[in-house]
Amino acid sequence: MREIVIVGAGQGGLQAAMCLRQDGFAGRITLIGAEAGLPYQRPPLSKAYLKSGDAGALQLRPASFFEKKDITLITGTRVDSIDRAARSLRAGGRDLRYDHLILATGTRNLRPPIPGADLALDLRTLEDAARLRAALDRPRRCAVIGGGFIGLEFAAVARALGHEVTLAEAAPRLMARAVSAETSARFLGLHEGMGTRVHLGDPVREVFPGGIRLASGTRIEAEVVLMAAGVTPNTELAAAAGLAVDNGVVVDGRLLTADPAISALGDCAVFPDPVSGRPVRLESVQAATDHARLISRRLLGMADDRYDAVPWFWSDQADSKLQIAGLATAGDETVTRGDGAIFRFNAGRLSAVETVNDARTHMQSRKRLAGAPVLRRHLEAAGFDLAAV
Amino acid sequence: MVKVTYVAADGTRTEVDAPPGSNVMQTALDNDVDGIVGECGGAMMCATCHCYVDEDWSDATGARRDGEDDMLDCAADEVRPNSRLSCQIRLTEGLDGLVVHLPEEQV
């Protein structure tokens, strides 16, 4: 294997390039990104960056790194097509051949088909975040469409900066896809306590110049409207090349597509959950970087393992750090421990643990979930002390 | 500027200058110092920026911050009394000359 091309220069794509070099790959590595500039971290865009505006702190590696590691970084370039038979792709008017191709194309913001959606701002890229920050240069009324991590992180920062915030969520509770009803309720209290008005179960029907209108008819006046209604994976390139796509680029337990010369990682990849076997797509730094490590080891013949890393997620909202270890499914049972830690169970087996400002329990959970199944009855007998089971 | 020296597990020393206000993890990444990963970007969600503070500097860098112990529990390499998450060591003028040693493994 002499040439590896990575499409997508986010944290996962970059990690793949770094791992390949670290693991001893001596051939050519080309990393192609659609955005201009060096690869950067996205998680702080809705947290520290909104406050500080310090773009330099987001950079993952300096320009000199790519030279030193002999990684060819092509930025501001979209890949037009993949020719699987020729093992080459077309990008920026030229053809690049590959022995192995890694798709790390990530996601883009979902824009619900409602009138005026284009009037809303996004918070996905550094460019989006800079625009949003510039819009908050004086006291504003902000309307946030979507009560997921991004919308809530933005709401917390905007309130702390003194802006008025109203948030509308289509689902009956906050972060409904990611956390238990108990955690949703806790964070609803946090945000309402900060003075954010929250409308639940009330989808947005229209964005108009000067605000939004909800299904209930409620009109929310706002100078700044943020669209934070989730994301959609960038799968067009894979689909056009005839690869299977189903809510993401479909890969097997080793993160390989049906084409043995193409892997996919991170936010754009749908892989079998190591516990349940059901296809999952995770939007997290952890999955992107752990995927990258596994693919690198496989390509260099160091290992051929199935992916089985424990997922973890975090969200900083005001002074509350929400940490999630594991992956729960809708309908998993919930037990709240005396100190507020939330344990989720699927068929009597621990699936996830949600904590707030409790790094100890979070890290214990990550360790325990990586081992043999943790059974509910054992945890109950141990008073939900993870160290005792 | 604040001078920081990173000593790799194989003994290689790398000396860099950093602006006060930055941290030991970010400074390593900005200067191509191998041996620090910093996967979560300083959000205290991983332990891939583990370092050992040189004993001459342990007083100046102070004690571990809240939650750091818990994260270090998951460090890939041996945790010692002078183990820190380098993202939690903020550089001040008082740390000019700081020496940190890097573990063999971060992941």
Side-chain angles (χ1 to χ4, degrees), chain A residues 202-360:
Chain A
D202 204 350
V204 175
R205 285 286 183 253
E206 181 191 359
V207 182
F208 56 86
I212 60 176
R213 185 174 56 80
L214 308 183
S216 62
T218 305
R219 282 168 65 95
I220 297 160
E221 309 282 328
E223 294 82 30
V224 175
V225 177
L226 174 66
M227 183 71 76
V231 296
T232 186
N234 294 319
T235 56
E236 290 74 7
L237 190 61
L243 294 169
V245 163
D246 185 5
N247 179 39
V249 181
V250 176
V251 292
D252 64 15
R254 295 149 69 229
L255 309 177
L256 198 56
T257 66
D259 182 335
I262 305 180
S263 302
L265 65 75
D267 292 20
C268 76
V270 170
F271 62 98
D273 175 53
V275 178
S276 65
R278 74 193 158 98
V280 289
R281 190 176 63 75
L282 302 180
E283 294 158 12
S284 78
V285 164
Q286 171 272 323
T289 54
D290 282 339
H291 284 172
R293 289 190 185 99
L294 185 102
I295 291 171
S296 173
R297 286 195 299 267
R298 164 162 53 75
L299 293 180
L300 297 180
M302 299 161 70
D304 196 20
D305 303 329
R306 289 179 58 82
Y307 181 78
D308 65 353
V310 175
W312 50 261
F313 309 86
W314 85 97
S315 177
D316 293 326
Q317 298 174 33
D319 55 3
S320 292
K321 185 190 226 30
L322 168 64
Q323 296 178 304
I324 304 162
L327 190 64
T329 313
D332 280 8
E333 292 156 37
T334 299
V335 174
T336 306
R337 193 167 69 181
D339 64 356
I342 287 171
F343 293 74
R344 314 280 317 267
F345 296 96
N346 189 302
R349 176 180 172 170
L350 185 67
S351 57
V353 178
E354 299 162 10
T355 52
V356 178
N357 298 336
D358 180 0
R360 169 158 301 261

Side-chain angles (χ1 to χ4, degrees), chain A residues 11 74 89 174 190 193 272 300 315 372:
Chain A
Q11 195 158 354
I74 302 174
L89 52 81
L174 298 174
L190 170 80
L300 297 180
S315 177

Side-chain angles (χ1 to χ4, degrees), chain A residues 28-348:
Chain A
R28 189 197 301 265
I29 300 176
T30 308
L31 180 61
I32 309 174
E35 287 181 60
L38 293 169
Y40 61 90
Q41 304 171 59
R42 287 191 206 284
L45 292 178
S46 49
K47 309 176 182 88
Y49 173 81
L50 270 188
K51 285 183 234 168
S52 72
D54 182 2
L58 303 174
Q59 185 183 290
L60 283 160
R61 291 296 183 276
S64 58
F65 175 87
F66 296 90
E67 248 172 77
K68 193 169 131 186
K69 302 287 183 194
D70 192 21
I71 294 166
T72 305
L73 175 66
I74 302 174
T75 60
T77 302
R78 285 190 176 279
V79 174
D80 303 316
S81 60
I82 301 167
D83 181 344
R84 286 168 51 199
R87 289 200 178 168
S88 79
L89 52 81
R90 186 146 191 88
R94 56 176 160 156
D95 294 311
L96 278 165
R97 53 155 275 106
Y98 62 81
D99 295 310
H100 199 86
L101 176 66
I102 300 173
L103 297 175
T105 49
T107 62
R108 62 176 177 274
N109 271 11
L110 201 63
R111 298 202 79 91
I114 52 169
D118 288 345
L119 295 170
L121 295 174
D122 284 307
L123 181 45
R124 167 104 198 125
T125 65
L126 176 54
E127 202 185 336
D128 294 336
R131 195 175 298 130
L132 188 58
R133 227 185 144 260
L136 298 178
D137 62 345
R138 71 197 89 146
R140 297 290 199 185
R141 291 172 301 177
C142 304
V144 182
I145 302 172
F149 287 175
I150 302 288
L152 291 170
E153 287 173 7
F154 170 82
V157 173
R159 276 304 296 148
L161 295 173
H163 303 284
E164 269 184 50
V165 182
T166 305
L167 183 146
E169 165 58 49
R173 61 186 179 89
L174 298 174
M175 304 180 282
R177 261 191 331 129
V179 301
S180 63
E182 288 76 0
T183 296
S184 295
R186 178 171 179 165
F187 278 81
L188 176 63
L190 170 80
H191 286 276
E192 288 184 334
M194 293 179 78
T196 294
R197 284 178 293 270
V198 180
H199 298 263
L200 294 172
D202 204 350
V204 175
R205 285 286 183 253
E206 181 191 359
V207 182
F208 56 86
I212 60 176
R213 185 174 56 80
L214 308 183
S216 62
T218 305
R219 282 168 65 95
I220 297 160
E221 309 282 328
E223 294 82 30
V224 175
V225 177
L226 174 66
M227 183 71 76
V231 296
T232 186
N234 294 319
T235 56
E236 290 74 7
L237 190 61
L243 294 169
V245 163
D246 185 5
N247 179 39
V249 181
V250 176
V251 292
D252 64 15
R254 295 149 69 229
L255 309 177
L256 198 56
T257 66
D259 182 335
I262 305 180
S263 302
L265 65 75
D267 292 20
C268 76
V270 170
F271 62 98
D273 175 53
V275 178
S276 65
R278 74 193 158 98
V280 289
R281 190 176 63 75
L282 302 180
E283 294 158 12
S284 78
V285 164
Q286 171 272 323
T289 54
D290 282 339
H291 284 172
R293 289 190 185 99
L294 185 102
I295 291 171
S296 173
R297 286 195 299 267
R298 164 162 53 75
L299 293 180
L300 297 180
M302 299 161 70
D304 196 20
D305 303 329
R306 289 179 58 82
Y307 181 78
D308 65 353
V310 175
W312 50 261
F313 309 86
W314 85 97
S315 177
D316 293 326
Q317 298 174 33
D319 55 3
S320 292
K321 185 190 226 30
L322 168 64
Q323 296 178 304
I324 304 162
L327 190 64
T329 313
D332 280 8
E333 292 156 37
T334 299
V335 174
T336 306
R337 193 167 69 181
D339 64 356
I342 287 171
F343 293 74
R344 314 280 317 267
F345 296 96
N346 189 302

Side-chain angles (χ1 to χ4, degrees), chain A residues 11 41 59 61-62 64-65 68-69 285 289 293 312-314 321 323 359-360 362-363 366-367, chain B residues 26 29-34 36-37 39-41 43-46 67 69-71 73-74 107:
Chain A
Q11 195 158 354
Q41 304 171 59
Q59 185 183 290
R61 291 296 183 276
S64 58
F65 175 87
K68 193 169 131 186
K69 302 287 183 194
V285 164
T289 54
R293 289 190 185 99
W312 50 261
F313 309 86
W314 85 97
K321 185 190 226 30
Q323 296 178 304
R360 169 158 301 261
H362 175 69
M363 294 312 284
R366 270 159 64 172
K367 277 195 203 167
Chain B
Q26 194 59 46
L29 300 188
D30 290 347
N31 290 281
D32 274 355
V33 177
D34 283 334
I36 286 192
V37 176
E39 184 155 293
C40 76
M44 286 259 275
M45 286 299 296
C46 71
D69 281 322
D70 302 315
M71 305 314 293
D73 266 352
C74 285
V107 180

